[in-house]
Amino acid sequence: IESYRRPHPISKQIAIARTKKYLVSDLYRIELYDLFRQETEKLFDGLSNAILQDKQIRSYSELEEKLHQYESLTEIVLAMIITGCYWGNETNNSLWANGIERVSNISVGKTQDPWLRQYPALLLFYGGGIASLANNRYDTFAELLMKPIIADGVKELRPVCALVPEK
């Protein structure tokens, strides 16, 4: 009985279809918000657990494995952000920006390289940015650039500064 009470996981294709359906009408704005927040929180929890279990990366294959793990965890939220930034309107912009901000501010795993910890947020930022530009949604792109606040422990930064790996 308990397993029937838990929300069922959704696939990337279902997430895209639901996002498109909910973007069509303002009547579905609450459903869109709830779905996106639920998936963002699942991503946040999954990333937090993955980061807590991290060990020092010592080889290219370990790094490649970690990147693939993050990409897999990010897949559904990334698909939703790409879909929303391409097809959405200005009323949805803050939703995508807030998702990027949430994923960017994972505070666990301070021993891990910050650029690796920020990789999932970078995927979301790039995916949303490219999708918004592909459909001439400059208002969405501007919101992704300027709205999320990412705390690096010392100061608060915007994604364009915080999600760029240091050389």
Side-chain angles (χ1 to χ4, degrees):
I1 293 175
E2 185 61 35
S3 66
Y4 288 108
R5 290 184 186 164
R6 283 183 274 150
H8 294 284
I10 64 172
S11 69
K12 180 173 84 169
Q13 290 76 19
I14 292 172
I16 291 169
R18 284 187 184 172
T19 301
K20 286 179 180 177
K21 175 186 174 184
Y22 296 156
L23 286 170
V24 171
S25 172
D26 213 26
L27 294 173
Y28 297 116
R29 73 181 187 285
I30 294 171
E31 286 88 346
L32 178 63
Y33 175 86
D34 289 345
L35 177 64
F36 185 72
R37 289 292 301 170
Q38 176 185 352
E39 293 304 318
T40 301
E41 288 306 310
K42 282 198 300 194
L43 171 58
F44 187 88
D45 293 343
L47 290 170
S48 296
N49 290 333
I51 291 169
L52 281 173
Q53 297 171 6
D54 279 348
K55 59 184 189 305
Q56 185 67 31
I57 294 176
R58 300 188 190 285
S59 69
Y60 177 78
S61 63
E62 288 178 359
L63 174 60
E64 189 175 36
E65 183 180 321
K66 180 53 65 180
L67 293 176
H68 286 306
Q69 179 188 18
Y70 286 174
E71 290 163 3
S72 176
L73 288 168
T74 308
E75 181 180 46
I76 291 175
V77 174
L78 177 59
M80 292 179 74
I81 283 182
I82 289 170
T83 303
C85 288
Y86 188 87
W87 292 110
N89 59 43
E90 61 278 348
T91 62
N92 308 119
N93 289 347
S94 64
L95 184 62
W96 319 126
N98 289 342
I100 292 170
E101 180 175 292
R102 177 72 171 139
V103 173
S104 298
N105 287 303
I106 291 179
S107 61
V108 298
K110 291 296 184 183
T111 58
Q112 184 188 62
D113 289 326
W115 66 268
L116 185 58
R117 195 174 59 247
Q118 292 293 351
Y119 180 62
L122 181 67
L123 291 173
L124 301 178
F125 177 64
Y126 279 18
I130 291 168
S132 60
L133 292 175
N135 199 21
N136 301 317
R137 298 293 325 281
Y138 302 113
D139 58 323
T140 303
F141 184 63
E143 187 112 7
L144 297 181
L145 286 173
M146 300 307 296
K147 187 173 186 301
I149 297 173
I150 302 167
D152 74 348
V154 178
K155 55 189 171 291
E156 294 179 345
L157 302 169
R158 301 295 180 208
V160 72
C161 297
L163 298 178
V164 177
E166 294 180 18
K167 294 183 181 186

